Amino acid sequence: MYRDNLPPVWNRVGKHAVFPEATHDEIARYNFLANLNRHLATVVSPGNRIAYEKEVLPHFRQTHGREFENREELHEAMKKNSHYQMWSALRRSAMEMRQQAGRSMVLRQANELAEKAHRWNQNKDTLKLNPDQKIPYYVQAVDHHCMPGSYYTELIEGDVTAAANYDSGLFVTTAGLLGRLSDGGGRAIAQWLKTQHPEFQPKRILDIGCGLGHNVIPIAQAYPNAEAIAIDVAAPMLRYGHARAQSLGVQNLTFIQMDGANTGFADESFDWIQTTMFLHETSYTTLHQIIKEIYRMLNFSGITLHIEQPQYTPDMDLYEQFIRDWDAYYNNEPFWSQMHDIDMKKLMIQAGFPEKSCIQIGIKAVNDIEEGQQANETIEDFGRSPIWNVFGAWKA
């Protein structure tokens, strides 16, 4: 079984030209944290369900004479369980340690990283930053994933440390399950589209909330004749992402600083509009605005696709909803619960997409780490999620 194997060592990460340099001790810390994450996911986490079934649920039935009505009620009861307390505290600590390890590594070389990015970015019209761009309140409200300053904070001129930290540490957080360049999501969706719809040849692609561009790069590579545009509000991510793409030889990809809820792009100007693990970090109101904006910008016969964790539905096990909700309470993801409660198909229809054109599929991450079974394993989200949820629609 894959879960009995050790995660790949951090040295297997893809080291492109702007990737931060790591010392022996920094690599050792990252390897420890990757193993800790795997251990928590595959050894410690299953004990939560045992505690639920053998202790928490029977006690609740005896006390209240009924079943749990919702995941919030279940959460309140599980918070009193010692095993859940231990697992939750360790998982939170692992994330905080991962951020400390990554930030200490990139901050000591902040000037060098900024200079590397500048060399790749200078005189390129494929990077367009807007110094007047306002950071939306929902981005400022929280340090996402326990990352101080979140995605957008700049400490020096030309700063890219937030992105370099994210890039170097994502391999650790996922225990290598996203591949050498942590681009398994983008690879997977491009592979699915080319396989299932080979006739679809987009001329213009938009990725909203691109971050450092790790998922849009394989999309641009899969369609080299298309013009790909990646947008985000965070300048450090865009600087680093553009330099990263340039160093990997991707020339058909432009990075622009703008808000996905109000882009200013023309009506019906894109053939494919994509988001990857982004919508759960937007507010309820903004999410609705983004879906409407996508419909406006999308060409007829075009497609929009969104990679997320599975939505909470009435047929999803209550315990599964509860354990997935951990990120909302303890991983600085305040919009996680509400987003996963939304009927996304209904939201797509409200925006104008025909019901018959809506899409709901699952995809496996494409992992290029050729190490035993690891080459073809799925993303498990700390042992819980066998596949990613993809929803979207064709604009007919």
Side-chain angles (χ1 to χ4, degrees):
M1 293 291 291
Y2 175 61
R3 65 180 50 197
D4 293 328
N5 297 334
L6 293 174
V9 294
W10 188 81
N11 305 66
R12 301 295 300 277
V13 73
K15 300 177 180 67
H16 49 79
V18 290
F19 197 77
E21 299 291 333
T23 66
H24 173 276
D25 287 356
E26 288 165 345
I27 294 172
R29 291 189 193 101
Y30 265 174
N31 283 332
F32 164 76
L33 289 169
N35 279 275
L36 176 58
N37 284 330
R38 176 65 61 81
H39 180 75
L40 291 175
T42 60
V43 178
V44 183
S45 183
N48 288 319
R49 183 175 279 276
I50 295 173
Y52 162 68
E53 294 176 348
K54 301 294 185 181
E55 299 176 13
V56 177
L57 181 57
H59 182 265
F60 187 87
R61 284 170 175 164
Q62 183 178 19
T63 304
H64 299 276
R66 61 176 176 85
E67 304 292 312
F68 287 108
E69 293 182 349
N70 51 56
R71 66 178 183 273
E72 291 82 7
E73 195 173 57
L74 173 53
H75 175 244
E76 287 301 313
M78 285 292 290
K79 283 197 302 184
K80 302 171 185 177
N81 180 267
S82 59
H83 184 90
Y84 177 75
Q85 291 172 353
M86 174 192 66
W87 170 81
S88 186
L90 286 171
R91 189 174 172 191
R92 170 73 184 213
S93 295
M95 180 57 77
E96 291 179 349
M97 286 190 290
R98 173 260 165 283
Q99 294 294 350
Q100 190 279 331
R103 280 174 58 78
S104 64
M105 180 173 71
V106 300
L107 288 176
R108 69 168 174 78
Q109 53 190 302
N111 291 319
E112 291 86 347
L113 288 169
E115 178 57 31
K116 285 181 183 179
H118 175 70
R119 287 198 298 268
W120 284 100
N121 292 338
Q122 63 182 337
N123 302 321
K124 298 289 177 62
D125 59 4
T126 45
L127 174 64
K128 305 177 188 297
L129 299 181
N130 177 11
D132 297 322
Q133 176 65 55
K134 293 182 179 180
I135 304 300
Y137 76 92
Y138 62 85
V139 177
Q140 297 184 50
V142 65
D143 291 339
H144 294 86
H145 314 295
C146 307
M147 179 169 61
S150 191
Y151 302 105
Y152 67 92
T153 299
E154 301 185 51
L155 304 176
I156 61 173
E157 184 176 354
D159 195 8
V160 296
T161 52
N165 172 32
Y166 192 95
D167 194 18
S168 67
L170 191 55
F171 189 90
V172 175
T173 304
T174 62
L177 287 171
L178 290 175
R180 296 180 65 248
L181 291 170
S182 297
D183 59 359
R187 283 174 176 257
I189 200 65
Q191 178 177 287
W192 176 84
L193 197 53
K194 290 180 77 70
T195 300
Q196 298 299 318
H197 298 278
E199 77 288 350
F200 180 65
Q201 295 295 321
K203 295 180 181 178
R204 207 156 183 250
I205 302 169
L206 176 65
D207 185 84
I208 300 176
C210 66
L212 55 89
H214 53 300
N215 286 304
V216 70
I217 285 176
I219 290 174
Q221 290 172 322
Y223 294 93
N225 295 323
E227 176 193 9
I229 297 176
I231 66 173
D232 203 289
V233 297
M237 291 284 167
L238 295 166
R239 291 191 194 101
Y240 183 91
H242 180 265
R244 188 181 192 269
Q246 290 289 310
S247 73
L248 292 171
V250 181
Q251 300 297 320
N252 63 325
L253 177 57
T254 298
F255 289 78
I256 305 176
Q257 188 176 10
M258 64 170 55
D259 189 341
N262 184 23
T263 66
F265 288 124
D267 293 355
E268 300 165 19
S269 55
F270 291 95
D271 303 301
W272 176 8
I273 302 180
Q274 173 76 24
T275 72
T276 302
M277 294 301 288
F278 163 70
L279 294 180
H280 69 267
E281 294 187 351
T282 64
S283 70
Y284 181 84
T285 300
T286 302
L287 172 58
H288 284 70
Q289 292 172 340
I290 288 174
I291 298 300
K292 290 178 181 177
E293 181 76 343
I294 287 172
Y295 183 84
R296 181 188 67 79
M297 294 186 293
L298 194 63
N299 271 325
F300 284 94
S301 75
I303 191 172
T304 183
L305 294 168
H306 309 276
I307 299 177
E308 286 288 343
Q309 290 295 324
Q311 298 299 105
Y312 301 154
T313 59
D315 59 350
M316 179 182 279
D317 177 63
L318 198 62
Y319 173 84
E320 185 71 12
Q321 294 182 38
F322 146 74
I323 203 69
R324 287 181 177 279
D325 236 27
W326 185 90
D327 290 273
Y329 290 101
Y330 308 115
N331 197 30
N332 290 13
E333 295 280 12
F335 307 110
W336 177 280
S337 295
Q338 194 170 38
M339 182 268 161
H340 286 94
D341 267 333
I342 295 173
D343 184 336
M344 295 307 302
K345 181 179 179 180
K346 182 178 179 181
L347 183 58
M348 302 292 291
I349 294 170
Q350 289 174 345
F353 291 97
E355 182 176 2
K356 64 180 181 180
S357 76
C358 291
I359 298 166
Q360 182 88 32
I361 61 169
I363 61 168
K364 297 180 180 180
V366 176
N367 192 337
D368 60 354
I369 300 176
E370 299 296 336
E371 187 171 279
Q373 296 179 348
Q374 292 169 353
N376 295 307
E377 283 293 340
T378 62
I379 298 176
E380 294 188 332
D381 186 35
F382 298 101
R384 297 198 308 273
S385 177
I387 54 176
W388 262 335
N389 178 48
V390 179
F391 61 88
W394 295 91
K395 186 174 179 179

